[in-house]
Amino acid sequence: MTAPAEPWTRRAPVDLPGPEGDNSIAREPLWYAYGTGDDAPEPPPWTWAATPPPDSHVPPPPPRPAGPATLLPPGTTDRLSALPYPHVPAPDGPASPDALAHALTTTFAPLRREPENPYNEHRPYASPRCLFPVHAFVGDGRDWRLLEPTRHTLTGPGTGTPTRIALTGRYTAIPLAYQWFRGSLVAIETGMVLRALSLGLELFGVPATLTPPTADGPELLRELGVEHTWEWSLPWLIELEKPQGTGHAAAGIEETPAPEGDPSLSDVVRVNRAQPYGLRGAGNCATSHNTPAPITTAVPPTLPPSQRTPTWSDLLWQRHSGRMPRGLHGMDSAKCLTPLPTRTLTTALAWLGVPPPHPALAAAFDEVTVTAVVQHIDGHTPGVHRIHDGTAHLLRRDPTAPAGLEANYGYGLTPVNGCGIANALLTVFFSVRPRELFARFGPAGWSAAQHACGWAVHGLCLAAAAEGLFARPVRAFKEIQTKEVIGLGEDETIVLSAVVGVPRETGGAVLDLRT
């Protein structure tokens, strides 16, 4: 994370009003173009293309390969219930034969269903509209099988011992109305899944290495058996045995283009295919993007015990993004009558401070500025803080900042929508300067920063659960006014944000789906 800067620091002016004023999603392709060197980017031609409303979207069926469906073993919840939080078991030799299956269940399997919630089901990590576009394929060196979390199965040919996992996101699982932002949502969720999977592997003692997308990613997609490679992001590869070499050789296959009826998807895929990169620079600043790196830890080294979540099973069960009653949308945060203990923020900062497991992602996260609007936490002045090296540095005392954020949120309080931002304890923003990001990493820095922010936000969600709070990842803030509230420079853009608050009791049923 970048060092704290004064709130009045400004770089070269950037005029990026966007086709819809300061809507942050509409401005994204302009920021990408600005990062590549365009000082006066124009909205892409597909910006005004008519799209069906998001609620009419029907996700495509899973890319189920031909072959048998092998059930994952039960008992994961019992094992997680026997693991005290925040203790992480030390490796004590080879993992048990079913350790990977339990790690996959821990990462992906549905936890609960809330009949009153318009978005179901709920897994251990947050997903936009509960669409879960990121899929996992499990390979044995010859065949690949699809992990189907809702069926608790691995589906496809092959019965050999799993040796690798491929993670790839399906853009068409997200409504067409999101246009360019489908690429960002897949990249952000990939970062969340990387942390959730790292945690699952760690809790069950499964060592692994991580290889970011390489130039032969389309060839790997074909190997996975997906029908149209242009629907999918370049895969991340997790290898459970010692990897051979430093990555896959580029095959240079020619992909078929996206269909004409989805003009923005071509740009989404183009940006994703620019992902393989090497860090620019020399010495300690240079590394190869496609070199495998060990998956280290997803958990901070020092955490206080939690009475609310005494086991890892409790922690994952308690994670949620804020509930509303009677099928209403949005989130509601109860107002704190007395400040919460300092531990509330200390725990959040500890989870935010764990770097992503690959050096390329960790370097990208170094380019991210983390800003937090804080209130009702003991020992911390209400106002705007910069987060650096696990510490919150006060930039401006401002008790009105939370209300200012709520006034500039895209989904305000209505008869059918809750909005608890003004009462939130903590609203965290992750931002980058695209020019500096592209100068260091090339175009792939865009996706790398999104992956890294997804990793960090999932950690924040777990920190909130440990304290009995909710955490909702969001991207609906109006960017220009919000940057004024939190003191960002004109050449900075917000990658992701998250709202942390005290949940209200809805009284609705919660159905336990754990195995």
Side-chain angles (χ1 to χ4, degrees):
M1 294 179 284
T2 56
E6 299 296 342
W8 53 83
T9 299
R10 293 291 185 267
R11 302 293 179 92
V14 180
D15 184 17
L16 293 174
E20 300 176 34
D22 64 355
N23 179 288
S24 60
I25 295 175
R27 288 158 59 86
E28 269 215 345
L30 304 180
W31 278 116
Y32 183 88
Y34 173 76
T36 63
D38 187 347
D39 288 326
E42 293 290 334
W46 44 257
T47 298
W48 295 275
T51 59
D55 289 343
S56 67
H57 173 72
V58 178
R64 187 171 292 144
T70 305
L71 284 172
L72 296 174
T76 301
T77 298
D78 291 340
R79 297 196 183 198
L80 290 173
S81 297
L83 293 177
Y85 169 86
H87 175 70
V88 176
D92 55 358
S96 63
D98 58 359
L100 176 62
H102 289 302
L104 292 173
T105 299
T106 298
T107 304
F108 294 101
L111 294 174
R112 63 185 180 274
R113 186 170 183 86
E114 302 164 5
E116 287 190 343
N117 197 322
Y119 297 117
N120 275 295
E121 80 266 349
H122 297 278
R123 300 189 193 177
Y125 58 90
S127 177
R129 303 173 69 95
C130 283
L131 290 170
F132 302 103
V134 177
H135 291 61
F137 293 81
V138 179
D140 60 10
R142 185 181 65 179
D143 298 305
W144 289 95
R145 291 180 287 173
L146 172 68
L147 173 66
E148 296 194 73
T150 57
R151 301 173 76 197
H152 292 275
T153 64
L154 292 174
T155 304
T159 57
T161 301
T163 59
R164 51 185 178 163
I165 303 165
L167 298 177
T168 174
R170 194 176 197 176
Y171 300 120
T172 53
I174 302 171
L176 176 60
Y178 283 79
Q179 293 185 325
W180 165 284
F181 196 50
R182 288 174 290 175
S184 300
L185 290 177
V186 163
I188 289 167
E189 183 167 312
T190 299
M192 294 178 176
V193 171
L194 283 172
R195 189 157 198 176
L197 180 57
S198 295
L199 176 61
L201 295 173
E202 187 173 5
L203 292 179
F204 285 94
V206 182
T209 60
L210 178 65
T211 303
T214 57
D216 67 335
E219 183 66 31
L220 179 54
L221 288 172
R222 288 186 179 178
E223 185 181 321
L224 297 177
V226 300
E227 184 176 0
H228 303 296
T229 59
W230 45 262
E231 284 188 276
W232 300 84
S233 64
L234 295 180
W236 287 75
L237 193 63
I238 294 91
E239 296 180 274
L240 309 178
E241 295 182 344
K242 186 176 181 180
Q244 303 297 318
T246 59
H248 300 278
I253 72 165
E254 186 173 343
E255 291 187 274
T256 56
E260 293 184 2
D262 193 349
S264 61
L265 186 56
S266 296
D267 279 352
V268 168
V269 175
R270 172 181 57 82
V271 170
N272 178 257
R273 297 320 190 241
Q275 205 174 102
Y277 65 95
L279 299 184
R280 299 181 179 184
N284 293 332
C285 294
T287 185
S288 173
H289 175 69
N290 63 354
T291 299
I295 293 178
T296 51
T297 182
V299 183
T302 303
L303 284 172
S306 169
Q307 293 182 346
R308 296 179 180 271
T309 60
T311 72
W312 283 101
S313 179
D314 296 316
L315 181 78
L316 298 177
W317 169 257
Q318 293 294 340
R319 186 214 65 80
H320 68 94
S321 298
R323 301 185 180 100
M324 292 291 294
R326 304 185 308 281
L328 300 178
H329 291 258
M331 60 188 155
D332 197 4
S333 181
K335 187 172 183 178
C336 288
L337 300 180
T338 58
L340 268 67
T342 303
R343 183 190 68 244
T344 305
L345 185 57
T346 303
T347 299
L349 297 182
W351 280 94
L352 286 173
V354 178
H358 195 279
L361 286 184
F365 196 53
D366 284 342
E367 298 296 318
V368 175
T369 297
V370 183
T371 307
V373 173
V374 179
Q375 65 174 346
H376 304 312
I377 297 179
D378 194 25
H380 293 277
T381 302
V384 182
H385 300 247
R386 286 279 196 271
I387 308 303
H388 183 65
D389 287 341
T391 304
H393 303 266
L394 180 66
L395 290 184
R396 185 178 76 252
R397 176 184 173 83
D398 186 359
T400 70
L405 292 180
E406 181 163 313
N408 293 302
Y409 187 63
Y411 299 98
L413 183 64
T414 71
V416 297
N417 189 79
C419 183
I421 295 172
N423 289 334
L425 300 166
L426 188 65
T427 305
V428 183
F429 295 86
F430 301 82
S431 60
V432 296
R433 299 183 188 272
R435 280 281 168 92
E436 296 180 6
L437 195 68
F438 280 60
R440 185 173 183 191
F441 301 104
W446 182 265
S447 296
Q450 292 171 334
H451 294 316
C453 291
W455 167 278
V457 162
H458 182 57
L460 182 63
C461 291
L462 297 179
E467 297 299 316
L469 307 173
F470 76 83
R472 172 170 290 222
V474 295
R475 267 297 305 268
F477 284 102
K478 299 174 183 178
E479 189 175 59
I480 295 174
Q481 293 100 317
T482 299
K483 291 201 301 181
E484 292 176 355
V485 173
I486 62 177
L488 297 185
E490 293 179 349
D491 62 338
E492 288 182 84
T493 182
I494 297 170
V495 178
L496 185 60
S497 47
V499 180
V500 178
V502 178
R504 290 189 184 272
E505 278 297 329
T506 67
V510 179
L511 307 181
D512 193 338
L513 303 180
R514 292 175 292 180
T515 60

